[in-house]
Structures are given as structure tokens and as C-alpha cells.
Amino acid sequence: MTTYRILSLDGGGIRGIVTVELLRRLKATAGLEHFLDDVDLIAGTSTGGLLALGIGRGQDLDAIREVYVKDGPEIFDDSWLDDLLDLGKLRGADYKITGLRKVLKRILGTETTLADLERNVLVTTFDLDNEDPDPEKRRWKPKIFHNMKGEGSDGDALAWKVGLYTAAAPTYFPTVDGYIDGGVYAANPSMCALAQARDRRYTDPPPEFDDIVLLSLGTGHSLNHIRGSRHNWGYAQWIKPLVSLMLDGVSGIADYQCRQMLGANYHRLAPVFPSEVSIPMDDVKKTPYMIDFANSLDLEATIEWIKEFWL
């Protein structure tokens, strides 16, 4: 059977610039200039979801890079007045959604639907209320937006809105239409993409595992840890590290699962920042550092894998 190619893009806020630089470097490699042309499914969470939507619409990587460099400060613009009104971030999201909404409408178009995109995309979100009329079925649940043809496709969803949904990280941005960042369950959406590729509603017959190749890209990992063997913490102590802990945890388990299921057909490029460097999802001031970091990495193993398994 023909090879089925999946590109999976992690969440990570402004750290998405690392992913963009890595993709630009790979495409600039002799022989890999068109390696993204044959991708069958692009999966993304949060900033990775925005990348998936941008690439799916045919946006050039150089143009996407400029969004992080030039628009990042506007997206993560936290004024002193906003801090005062939300009591120093104790009762309100860090950032307003208006800056991100403006950028997404510009780069994706105000009327562009998922069905209008040039590529199959999968974007993870979490629905806080499915509004089921049956009280026995009303609940919160993961929601995966995609444009693959078949029953349950979200082709009519506006691309910029889906971008807002997947980027609405808890404590960073307010919810949008009742949705939040899919990173709460799939910071690394690789397993979601693998399951989607094997769903007979959208691929019939579905590709065998031996015919699937999956390239997973991270956004740069900070070596966080919590000292001590016992922590009798409550809400106040856990809330600060919990978001990062949750994102790192679900990302790591998806990596393990895909590696076990696909073997050599799976490759993950997940760079780790030096031990003395920690970069939160909103640290726009470190954008120049992240660009330099991404351009200093050795990509030889990834390049060789793409040549052997992807092309």
C-alpha cells in the first residue's frame, strides 16, 4: 500500500518558533525541499494547531515565522491595568484573546473553513460543555476538529475559530465558545493522528501500521523538576506548576505509545533546552534565543530518517 505520512506538531505557545525553524531547516536541506508536499495528515495542538492550519492553508513557512517574531508581542501583551483588574492574575487569564483573533483572521482568512484548506488537518481542543439536551449525557470531553471527508467531519468550521479554540490554554487565555487548549489531553497529538489515520470512516481501507510513517516535532523542552520526596500541597501550591507538568506528562506518554506501535516508522524531534534555560509558553523576549537554539541543533538523524522512511 502507498505510504501514509503524518506530521504531528506539539503545543508550546511562543515556543512554536522552534518548530517553525526546524521545518524551515529541513526544507532547506538538499533533497528535502518538497518533503511536506506529500503529507497526508497534519496534526497540531495549541501553537502546533495554528501551524497545522497555516500549513494546511498553503502558508509559506517564512510568513508563518514572521507571525511569531512580529505578532508574538501583541498576542502575549499583558498590561499593568489588566493585571490590576484581575488581581494580579488570581482571577483572570493572563492575556486577552483579541490579539490572537486579529492575527488568525489575517493569516487564515475570515471566511476560510477547514474544508477550504489544501491539506487534511487535525486540531485538538477540549469542549467544556457538550450541551447535550439529555442531562445523562451532558459533560465535558475532548474534541478533535478535522476536515477529513466522512461522517463527523468538521469541514464547515471556520479555521480561525478552531485556531482560537486550540490555543486557549488555561490561565493564559480565556475560553472561546466553551473550548480550551487540547493540550490538557494531547500536548503531543501524535496518537490522535495515528488513531484518525486508522479510522475507517475517513480512510477505507485504513493504512496498515507498516505503511504509516509519523514525524513528530516538539517545541523545545525545559528541564523542570520539583525538589523533595513529599509535597503536601493544595490548590495554591499546585496551580503554578500543574499546567507545565500536565503538558509534559501527556506529551511524553504519546511519544512512548507511538514508538511502541510504529517502531522505526516513527521519529520524534524534541529538542531539550540547556539545564540553565527555562522558557515558559509566553516568554516572547526569548524568541531570538529560540531561533538561534533551533538553528544550532544537529538534524542529521532526522534528515536521514526522512530520506529512508518518508520519501
Side-chain angles (χ1 to χ4, degrees):
M1 185 176 177
T2 304
T3 299
Y4 192 95
R5 300 171 179 85
I6 300 173
L7 176 65
S8 177
L9 307 171
D10 280 18
I14 196 65
R15 297 199 308 265
I17 187 64
V18 173
T19 306
V20 175
E21 287 299 295
L22 294 176
L23 287 172
R24 291 176 73 243
R25 287 185 61 196
L26 291 173
K27 284 198 66 177
T29 302
L32 304 189
E33 296 90 346
H34 303 287
F35 90 97
L36 289 181
D37 294 353
D38 297 323
V39 66
D40 294 286
L41 177 61
I42 308 173
T45 290
S46 192
T47 194
L50 304 186
L51 288 174
L53 292 168
I55 296 171
R57 192 169 188 263
Q59 288 280 353
D60 183 80
L61 287 173
D62 290 342
I64 295 175
R65 179 186 190 273
E66 288 303 295
V67 172
Y68 285 89
V69 174
K70 293 185 177 180
D71 297 308
E74 179 181 358
I75 293 172
F76 294 104
D77 180 20
D78 192 20
S79 68
W80 67 268
L81 179 59
D82 183 56
D83 282 350
L84 179 64
L85 293 175
D86 64 21
L87 299 182
K89 306 184 182 183
L90 289 177
R91 65 162 200 184
D94 284 353
Y95 308 102
K96 299 184 185 304
I97 206 73
T98 50
L100 182 58
R101 181 189 296 116
K102 175 183 174 182
V103 170
L104 289 180
K105 284 186 174 182
R106 188 186 78 231
I107 64 174
L108 296 176
T110 58
E111 301 299 327
T112 304
T113 66
L114 296 188
D116 295 328
L117 301 182
E118 300 174 6
R119 308 290 179 85
N120 287 332
V121 299
L122 177 156
V123 178
T124 66
T125 70
F126 192 91
D127 187 357
L128 294 175
D129 182 359
N130 66 0
E131 299 182 337
D132 195 298
D134 184 346
E136 299 297 325
K137 297 180 180 179
R138 189 170 184 176
R139 60 189 176 92
W140 58 25
K141 63 181 180 64
K143 165 61 181 173
I144 294 175
F145 283 88
H146 69 88
N147 60 351
M148 297 177 73
K149 295 180 179 179
E151 178 186 351
S153 175
D154 302 291
D156 59 347
L158 291 172
W160 68 266
K161 276 200 169 186
V162 175
L164 287 184
Y165 299 161
T166 192
T171 76
Y172 288 90
F173 292 106
T175 64
V176 181
D177 296 341
Y179 291 98
I180 60 171
D181 192 332
V184 297
Y185 68 93
N188 172 355
S190 296
M191 274 299 294
C192 295
L194 183 56
Q196 187 84 0
R198 295 273 299 162
D199 192 328
R200 287 186 178 274
R201 291 175 298 175
Y202 312 115
T203 54
D204 191 15
E208 299 295 332
F209 285 112
D210 288 344
D211 297 316
I212 298 173
V213 293
L214 198 162
L215 175 60
S216 174
L217 297 184
T219 60
H221 181 72
S222 296
L223 295 172
N224 297 317
H225 65 281
I226 298 175
R227 294 179 182 274
S229 58
R230 184 176 184 274
H231 302 89
N232 187 25
W233 289 356
Y235 294 119
Q237 297 97 332
W238 272 115
I239 192 62
K240 185 176 181 179
L242 194 57
V243 173
S244 295
L245 183 153
M246 179 176 59
L247 295 178
D248 288 348
V250 296
S251 178
I253 198 64
D255 176 45
Y256 168 78
Q257 292 166 331
C258 286
R259 197 173 301 280
Q260 296 304 310
M261 298 179 74
L262 295 179
N265 282 14
Y266 169 78
H267 180 83
R268 179 157 170 83
L269 176 56
V272 178
F273 296 122
S275 59
E276 70 277 8
V277 176
S278 180
I279 303 180
M281 294 193 296
D282 58 348
D283 198 347
V284 293
K285 293 181 180 178
K286 287 195 173 74
T287 298
Y289 170 85
M290 288 186 283
I291 292 174
D292 291 340
F293 171 78
N295 282 291
S296 71
L297 296 170
D298 183 359
L299 301 185
E300 193 58 36
T302 301
I303 291 170
E304 290 305 313
W305 180 87
I306 292 174
K307 289 181 177 179
E308 181 176 357
F309 293 94
W310 185 280
L311 298 181

